[in-house]
Amino acid sequence: MTAALTPRRIGRRLQGRPTSDGAGVKLNRVFAHGQGSELDPFLMLDEFSSYEATDYLAGFPSHPHRGFETVTYMLDGHMLHEDHLGNRGDLKSGDVQWMTAGRGIIHSEMPQQRAGRMRGFQLWINLPAAEKMKPASYRDIPAAEIPIATLPGHVAVKVIAGELESDGMAVAGPIQGLSTAPLYMDVSLPARATFTQPLPAAHAAFVYVFEGRVDIGGAGLEKGQGAVLVDGDACVITGAGDGGRVLVLAGKPLGEPVVQYGPFVMNTAAEIQQALQDYQAGRLTA
Ligand code: FE2
């Protein structure tokens, strides 16, 4: 016997803001740290989407990170990642890179195309204090290793992290076992089709519509709009209009103080000072 699930409702809407980062890449910043503890453990979500090479060609030349994870999900395009450990990874359409900066990584993320569409997301997920100084690591996950579940109503779900549990089906994504228990899914919803995913009641949950429109608890969300979902133990989304495509993100809050300075995310101002000193002295990653 299964208890009935309580669908979460929209607690707060978030509208992305145009910005630029790296050497001048145009971005839509869906949210950033400081926009509410209900997003904990997530720190930032950037969307990049353009057919104009001048919006992305400058890329993200060599830069550091410490204290968190970055997840890059390419929908269209080709980027090359290189880091101080000598790792190189091609990110092509549908691929994901899950990078754990830990105590430090210095890397570049550069477009490998001179024209055409570049589209995708970069999500920043915090690490608990106990893991902020662990050695850097990353995983390149090719599109072919990301399961796509087809559910009733022709709902299609790419499961990047965590486990899909919908309509009696369980599908595990390639990323499992992290302290923040992240769920990261790309859900395509035809008109009037409904997707239901159980979520632990204490976990943060966020949806972002990047194509079309959807309905959550009777409220509409359209392309470019995000929402924090609150009060319940399931995410229930229905395709509206001609249907929609959404990122569904959930994770276990850390409940720790967060001090961010650019690409460093630590628990205290002293730890940020240390990161800056380490970076300047060439020992960020040592
Ligand atoms: Fe980076």
Side-chain angles (χ1 to χ4, degrees):
M1 193 173 87
T2 341
L5 296 169
T6 304
R8 291 196 183 201
R9 62 180 175 83
I10 292 176
R12 189 155 60 93
R13 289 166 179 270
L14 294 173
Q15 184 77 45
R17 291 167 197 225
T19 185
S20 87
D21 210 335
V25 177
K26 283 194 184 164
L27 298 169
N28 177 36
R29 184 145 292 161
V30 180
F31 64 80
H33 169 57
Q35 286 187 253
S37 60
E38 65 265 53
L39 289 162
D40 179 12
F42 301 113
L43 296 163
M44 190 178 83
L45 178 65
D46 281 346
E47 175 185 39
F48 45 94
S49 179
S50 181
Y51 289 94
E52 297 296 326
T54 50
D55 288 347
Y56 58 73
L57 270 184
F60 300 87
S62 186
H63 61 278
H65 294 288
R66 174 179 278 182
F68 60 102
E69 304 189 270
T70 68
V71 182
T72 308
Y73 176 27
M74 287 295 285
L75 290 168
D76 300 284
H78 182 189
M79 296 257 268
L80 174 68
H81 167 268
E82 293 180 280
D83 71 18
H84 75 284
L85 300 169
N87 295 310
R88 283 168 61 93
D90 276 303
L91 268 172
K92 295 183 180 170
S93 301
D95 296 347
V96 168
Q97 184 200 64
W98 198 288
M99 186 186 83
T100 306
R103 66 169 291 120
I105 201 152
I106 298 172
H107 75 158
S108 62
E109 301 153 293
M110 298 301 290
Q112 300 299 299
Q113 62 193 61
R114 309 298 298 174
R117 190 177 206 187
M118 173 78 80
R119 182 167 75 131
F121 296 96
Q122 188 169 85
L123 175 71
W124 289 15
I125 308 177
N126 207 358
L127 283 170
E131 295 178 33
K132 283 184 179 293
M133 295 298 275
K134 70 182 183 182
S137 63
Y138 76 98
R139 282 188 61 189
D140 278 327
I141 307 157
E145 289 177 18
I146 300 171
I148 302 176
T150 304
L151 303 173
H154 303 287
V155 175
V157 185
K158 288 177 74 172
V159 188
I160 295 167
E163 189 168 83
L164 169 90
E165 301 167 65
S166 193
D167 290 292
M169 192 183 279
V171 178
I175 297 290
Q176 299 288 334
L178 304 181
S179 300
T180 50
L183 179 75
Y184 190 142
M185 298 187 300
D186 169 351
V187 182
S188 296
L189 284 151
R192 293 179 298 284
T194 293
F195 169 68
T196 300
Q197 164 75 24
L199 295 174
H203 285 202
F206 178 80
V207 296
Y208 179 70
V209 183
F210 62 99
E211 289 179 13
R213 55 178 58 223
V214 301
D215 181 287
I216 297 176
L221 271 183
E222 60 184 47
K223 178 177 156 67
Q225 295 181 329
V228 177
L229 303 184
V230 297
D231 297 341
D233 54 10
C235 163
V236 180
I237 312 173
T238 301
D242 293 327
R245 191 170 169 194
V246 301
L247 291 189
V248 174
L249 305 170
K252 184 180 174 192
L254 294 172
E256 295 178 356
V258 178
V259 183
Q260 176 176 5
Y261 182 81
F264 307 125
V265 181
M266 303 301 290
N267 299 108
T268 67
E271 289 167 348
I272 291 291
Q273 282 303 323
Q274 187 64 53
L276 286 165
Q277 283 171 21
D278 288 350
Y279 182 50
Q280 282 153 9
R283 53 169 196 258
L284 183 78
T285 65

